[in-house]
Each structure stands twice: as C-alpha cells, then as structure tokens.
Amino acid sequence: MKNIEKIFTAPGGQFVTPIETLAEKLKHIRAFVFDWDGVFNDGSKNEHGSSTFSETDAMGTNLLRLSSWMATGKMPYCAVLSGEENRISFRYGAREHFHRVYYQVKDKTIALKHFEETFGLKNENILFVFDDVLDLSLARICGVRMLISRKANPMFRNYVVENNLADYATAHDGSQFGVREVCELFMALTGNYNEALENRITFSPEYTDYFKARQEIPTSFYSVVNNEIVLREITV
C-alpha cells in the first residue's frame, strides 16, 4: 500500500483520505459518475460549444470498468453528468456504452437521485470524478470523490481539502489525463491492475466476456427541465 501511495504522491497527487481508508471505501463502489468539462479536457469549447476527450482517458475508463468487473463479477454502472450540452460527450457515452448521459443539469443532485433509483444504488456506491464548484453538491454526498486538480485554482483545491469534499486530488489536470490517473488509482487499490492489463493485452476469455457485456449496454440520455428528469432522443 505504501508503494502505491508513493507512486501517486511523487508527481503531486494528494490523498485527502488516508490510503488504507480509501481502499476500504472502494470496496463499496458499484458505479462511476464523471463530470465532463474540465475532467475529460481542459474545459475549453469549440465554436459548437463542445469540448473533446482523449483516447488515453477512454482507455482508462475501459480498464477501470474491467477492473471492477473482475473484482465483483458485475458490470459497474457508468454515467456522464454535465451541466452543459456537449455533443462530443454524447458520442463518447454511446461509443463507450455508458448507461447514462445527463446534460443541462444545473442541480446535479436531481440527476444523481434518478441514477441511483434506476439502478438500486446508494450514495456510498458512487465514485464521482469532478473538477469545479458546480460539482460540490455531489462531492458532499458521494461515497468516493476524486478531484481533477489544476494549478490555476489553489484556493478552490484548499477549500475542497479543508472541507473534506474529496478523497483524492490528482496530480494531473483534465488536459493532462487526470481521468486516467483516477482510473489507475482505482485499479491499483482494487489490487488487480497487472491482471487487468494482461487480460486486455491478450484479449483473454475474461476480457472477451466483459467486452461483450459492455457492448450490449444501451446508452440513455436525460436532461432536467423544471427540476424534472426528461428522457431525450439523441442521434450520435
């Protein structure tokens, strides 16, 4: 455990929750929820109002789900939960077969409640990856909170740490593959990092079973209108 801690703190990662306690909390995780802007990217928008993602992070979320599948024998639930409408996040969610993409959600607790009720989850079952102020309503209640850090807001990071609103703060920001860092930390603390990589490298029967199950997951899209969750028909 100390070696894992050293690997992640050496480049600047910070364990707000002691690593041993965090490893115990991860045993209850059944779902992963990701903010989009500033998490999968640096938050910049193109002329269409979209922000992109990297294949480095995409590989990370795939390995993350494989690791969870191997540890529990069940497919973890996954969602993107964004305050904005971002067409690239729609394509990512559909391509990666996330269960849900929530968008135009200003009060993110509404979407989280819908997600939990749909899949029979509790707050302690959710790992939330976030980066900024509008995410703190979820950071206060989710079981595990991973902050994608950036050097430009040291006061915000200090606020999050002082108020125990994260369990871990990354060394790398959204433009430097902070999502991948979070995914590798989960795998390391779950204890099957090397095995998961070997399964992926060799396209083992276990990976084949996992990938087949992943590809069968339909992605549904929801937004919030007048504080109500609304199912949307999205073409990606």
Side-chain angles (χ1 to χ4, degrees):
M1 195 70 71
K2 290 298 182 183
N3 184 53
I4 294 173
E5 185 172 22
K6 183 178 179 180
I7 288 171
F8 284 88
T9 57
Q14 180 181 1
F15 288 90
V16 182
T17 296
I19 190 170
E20 294 83 3
T21 304
L22 177 56
E24 286 299 313
K25 292 175 71 173
L26 291 178
K27 293 178 181 178
H28 300 285
I29 296 302
R30 296 173 53 201
F32 304 101
V33 175
F34 299 87
D35 181 35
W36 185 262
D37 291 316
V39 170
F40 283 92
N41 47 68
D42 67 2
S44 299
K45 300 293 186 68
N46 64 21
E47 66 273 21
H48 304 294
S50 285
S51 51
T52 188
F53 68 92
S54 79
E55 294 295 348
T56 301
D57 288 338
M59 176 60 77
T61 60
N62 186 47
L63 292 172
L64 171 77
R65 297 161 79 186
L66 173 62
S67 171
S68 180
W69 162 281
M70 290 167 54
T72 66
K74 298 179 180 179
M75 183 65 68
Y77 301 102
C78 285
V80 170
L81 202 171
S82 176
E84 301 297 331
E85 179 175 346
N86 190 310
R87 303 296 300 187
I88 295 178
S89 74
F90 298 167
R91 290 197 288 273
Y92 180 83
R95 191 194 81 170
E96 296 299 308
H97 292 269
F98 276 27
H99 294 79
R100 296 288 184 267
V101 174
Y102 295 96
Y103 67 98
Q104 291 183 333
V105 181
K106 302 307 179 186
D107 182 354
K108 296 187 176 184
T109 62
I110 296 173
L112 185 71
K113 181 179 179 181
H114 178 265
F115 184 63
E116 290 180 339
E117 290 178 347
T118 300
F119 297 111
L121 300 165
K122 298 179 180 179
N123 289 347
E124 68 185 42
N125 303 135
I126 307 293
L127 185 153
F128 180 45
V129 185
F130 72 101
D131 76 303
D132 218 333
V133 177
L134 297 181
D135 305 315
L136 294 184
S137 60
L138 294 196
R140 286 177 172 171
I141 60 177
C142 287
V144 173
R145 298 77 43 84
M146 301 290 198
L147 172 66
I148 303 296
S149 297
R150 53 178 165 261
K151 293 180 180 179
N153 54 6
M155 289 299 292
F156 176 73
R157 176 167 170 161
N158 185 66
Y159 178 89
V160 169
V161 171
E162 284 191 344
N163 288 277
N164 192 32
L165 295 173
D167 296 287
Y168 177 77
T170 62
H172 301 89
D173 65 27
S175 68
Q176 298 176 314
F177 321 117
V179 167
R180 182 62 175 266
E181 181 181 342
V182 165
C183 295
E184 296 217 351
L185 176 58
F186 175 91
M187 295 170 68
L189 294 183
T190 300
N192 60 12
Y193 183 87
N194 290 350
E195 185 182 358
L197 255 61
E198 284 299 319
N199 281 330
R200 178 62 187 88
I201 292 166
T202 62
F203 221 90
S204 69
E206 186 166 10
Y207 181 77
T208 301
D209 290 344
Y210 152 78
F211 191 71
K212 181 177 184 295
R214 194 199 87 158
Q215 295 303 99
E216 292 174 351
I217 296 170
T219 303
S220 298
F221 301 85
Y222 292 86
S223 62
V224 173
V225 179
N226 296 325
N227 292 326
E228 297 290 336
I229 290 285
V230 178
L231 178 64
R232 298 295 193 180
E233 294 293 330
I234 298 293
T235 302
V236 295

